[in-house]
């Protein structure tokens, strides 16, 4: 599944109302939204929602076909970022295009100031990090909520996002923890594939775990209910099922009223992990490694042992390997 976004991003200082007003009035086909983490800013975005609206629904004669509609509206943001930087003299404005397919993402864009490009990145899976650091020196982390599919999903009542990391533990083990506790609970939906785990409490929150490699799981998610009761339940559910593990998870409400991090990873190591791209490879390029069978006669995926350093003749049982901590 692909997801493409085109974005104008500006850091909010003393220009919040003016920025939002200008973007809202002059870019009528885009979404404008304020965000508060990892810095305070405004994003104006064209995303895949535009593709769902037929060109015939727009003003008569405005677009001749779907291709023209998409091209003109998406490039409108690219061009207007330069005009916006002239209006807000001295402000650094970023334009970023993000393209995700099969779990793999790449980005490109530039930064303009006073109508002139002052920085440009032609494309890389981490290009957005370098671009955003040009407008906010304190920007940190590869994940950026406005680039996720559900950031603008008001129909789903999305109130916030979740992002984090687990190290030195396996995806099947995480699944077992949640499944034992909630597998028979009708309020929960749990689904697992070879690289992904979904744990959803319908209408309240959604946890998504992604296997990056044998030593790293990415945690993502969505908050649908911002009540104090649900936020406490969400935090307790996560912390209790990850008890004893090395992890960090941050909860963010998009209105800025909650930014909370929980976990056990040391600050410096947690920062280092959060900087890494987890979208550099498509899912089908990442082999999933189950622990070997007792007789060592079969393997699923790559043969590289997930427990590097052990002899291939080591015939420990499934659960010994599954819950082995490094």
């Amino acid at each position: 599944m692909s997801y493409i976004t085109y974005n104008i991003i500006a850091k909010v200082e003393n220009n919040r109302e003016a920025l939002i007003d200008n973007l809202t009035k002059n870019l009528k086909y885009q979404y404008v939204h304020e965000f508060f983490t990892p810095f305070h800013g405004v994003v104006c975005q064209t995303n895949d929602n535009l593709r769902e609206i037929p060109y015939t629904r727009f003003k008569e004669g405005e677009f001749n076909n779907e291709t023209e509609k998409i091209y003109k509206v998406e490039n409108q943001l690219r061009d207007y970022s330069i005009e916006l930087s002239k209006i807000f003299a001295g402000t650094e404005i970023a334009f970023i295009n993000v393209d995700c397919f099969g779990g793999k993402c790449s980005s490109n864009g530039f930064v303009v100031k006073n109508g002139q490009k002052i920085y440009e990145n032609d494309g890389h899976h981490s290009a957005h990090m370098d671009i955003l650091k040009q407008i906010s020196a304190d920007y940190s982390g590869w994940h950026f909520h406005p680039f996720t599919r559900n950031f603008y999903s008001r129909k789903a009542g999305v109130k916030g996002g979740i992002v984090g990391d687990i190290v030195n533990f396996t995806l099947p083990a995480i699944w077992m923890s949640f499944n034992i506790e909630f597998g028979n609970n009708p309020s929960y939906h749990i689904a697992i594939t070879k690289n992904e785990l979904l744990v959803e409490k319908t209408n309240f929150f959604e946890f998504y775990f992604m296997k990056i490699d044998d030593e790293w799981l990415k945690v993502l998610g969505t908050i649908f209910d911002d009540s104090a009761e649900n936020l406490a339940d969400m935090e307790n559910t996560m912390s209790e099922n990850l008890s004893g593990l090395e992890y960090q998870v941050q909860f963010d409400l998009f209105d800025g009223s909650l930014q909370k991090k929980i976990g056990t990873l040391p600050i410096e190591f947690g920062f280092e992990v959060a900087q890494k791209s987890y979208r550099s490879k498509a899912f089908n390029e990442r082999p999933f490694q189950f622990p070997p069978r007792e007789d060592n006669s079969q393997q699923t995926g790559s043969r590289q042992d997930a427990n590097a350093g052990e002899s291939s003749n080591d015939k420990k049982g499934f659960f010994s390997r599954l819950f082995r901590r490094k």
Side-chain angles (χ1 to χ4, degrees), residues 142-171:
W142 193 92
H143 182 85
F144 188 55
H145 285 306
F147 294 162
T148 54
R149 186 183 299 274
N150 58 19
F151 184 74
Y152 285 95
S153 300
R154 291 297 170 261
K155 290 182 179 179
V158 174
K159 299 296 178 62
I162 302 165
V163 62
D165 303 275
I166 303 170
V167 298
N168 298 329
F169 215 59
T170 68
L171 187 68

Side-chain angles (χ1 to χ4, degrees), residues 53 160 165 168-169 178 204 220 268:
I53 305 174
D165 303 275
N168 298 329
F169 215 59
F178 281 99
F204 289 94
L220 301 170
E268 289 188 5

Side-chain angles (χ1 to χ4, degrees), residues 108-175:
N108 63 79
F110 53 80
V111 177
V112 289
K113 185 176 182 180
N114 300 326
Q116 300 295 321
K117 289 185 181 179
I118 61 172
Y119 178 80
E120 189 165 8
N121 193 313
D122 290 335
H124 189 262
H125 59 81
S126 297
H128 68 285
M129 292 178 63
D130 294 333
I131 297 170
L132 290 173
K133 284 179 181 178
Q134 303 300 315
I135 67 171
S136 179
D138 56 354
Y139 172 77
S140 63
W142 193 92
H143 182 85
F144 188 55
H145 285 306
F147 294 162
T148 54
R149 186 183 299 274
N150 58 19
F151 184 74
Y152 285 95
S153 300
R154 291 297 170 261
K155 290 182 179 179
V158 174
K159 299 296 178 62
I162 302 165
V163 62
D165 303 275
I166 303 170
V167 298
N168 298 329
F169 215 59
T170 68
L171 187 68
I174 300 296
W175 166 76

Side-chain angles (χ1 to χ4, degrees), residues 61-75:
E62 196 161 2
F63 306 114
N64 295 316
N65 51 53
E66 283 295 314
T67 302
E68 183 180 280
K69 177 200 74 175
I70 293 171
Y71 177 82
K72 284 187 175 181
V73 174
E74 290 175 348
N75 280 276

Side-chain angles (χ1 to χ4, degrees), residues 17-277:
E17 291 80 8
L19 269 173
I20 293 175
D21 183 64
N22 181 284
L23 291 168
T24 302
K25 288 182 177 179
N26 292 287
L27 297 170
K28 58 183 178 179
Y29 302 123
Q30 288 78 14
Y31 298 95
V32 178
H33 199 70
E34 186 176 13
F35 61 90
F36 296 85
T37 182
F39 59 90
H40 187 190
V42 172
V43 56
C44 178
Q45 181 183 106
T46 293
N47 58 34
D48 282 353
N49 293 329
L50 174 72
R51 297 174 185 268
E52 299 174 2
I53 305 174
Y55 78 95
T56 53
R57 293 265 303 276
F58 291 87
K59 184 178 178 181
E60 185 176 358
E62 196 161 2
F63 306 114
N64 295 316
N65 51 53
E66 283 295 314
T67 302
E68 183 180 280
K69 177 200 74 175
I70 293 171
Y71 177 82
K72 284 187 175 181
V73 174
E74 290 175 348
N75 280 276
Q76 183 183 22
L77 277 180
R78 188 188 306 270
D79 297 337
Y80 195 73
S81 63
I82 297 174
E83 295 305 312
L84 189 69
S85 73
K86 296 176 182 177
I87 297 169
F88 292 88
T91 300
E92 294 167 340
I93 307 291
F95 169 81
I96 303 177
N97 167 217
V98 180
D99 189 347
C100 295
F101 180 77
K104 181 179 181 179
C105 293
S106 64
S107 52
N108 63 79
F110 53 80
V111 177
V112 289
K113 185 176 182 180
N114 300 326
Q116 300 295 321
K117 289 185 181 179
I118 61 172
Y119 178 80
E120 189 165 8
N121 193 313
D122 290 335
H124 189 262
H125 59 81
S126 297
H128 68 285
M129 292 178 63
D130 294 333
I131 297 170
L132 290 173
K133 284 179 181 178
Q134 303 300 315
I135 67 171
S136 179
D138 56 354
Y139 172 77
S140 63
W142 193 92
H143 182 85
F144 188 55
H145 285 306
F147 294 162
T148 54
R149 186 183 299 274
N150 58 19
F151 184 74
Y152 285 95
S153 300
R154 291 297 170 261
K155 290 182 179 179
V158 174
K159 299 296 178 62
I162 302 165
V163 62
D165 303 275
I166 303 170
V167 298
N168 298 329
F169 215 59
T170 68
L171 187 68
I174 300 296
W175 166 76
M176 289 184 65
S177 177
F178 281 99
N179 196 55
I180 289 172
E181 184 171 356
F182 301 113
N184 295 320
N185 188 328
S187 296
Y188 284 80
H189 171 66
I190 300 175
I192 187 169
T193 67
K194 65 178 183 178
N195 287 316
E196 303 161 276
L197 168 65
L198 176 69
V199 178
E200 179 184 12
K201 186 176 183 182
T202 307
N203 298 323
F204 289 94
F205 56 79
E206 177 184 280
F207 299 151
Y208 171 64
F209 302 86
M210 180 196 306
K211 177 183 184 289
I212 308 302
D213 57 37
D214 295 313
E215 299 180 351
W216 180 21
L217 301 177
K218 195 68 188 178
V219 184
L220 301 170
T222 306
I223 303 170
F224 298 104
D225 184 331
D226 59 359
S227 67
E229 181 180 6
N230 179 61
L231 295 176
D233 180 37
M234 178 182 64
E235 179 182 338
N236 291 336
T237 299
M238 181 70 79
S239 61
E240 289 175 6
N241 281 275
L242 301 185
S243 178
L245 305 187
E246 298 172 87
Y247 76 97
Q248 63 178 9
V249 175
Q250 182 167 320
F251 306 102
D252 297 300
L253 290 181
F254 294 151
D255 65 4
S257 61
L258 173 72
Q259 297 176 35
K260 185 172 185 179
K261 182 178 290 187
I262 62 173
T264 59
L265 284 184
I267 294 176
E268 289 188 5
F269 182 53
F271 179 81
E272 179 183 344
V273 174
Q275 300 299 298
K276 295 181 180 180
S277 166

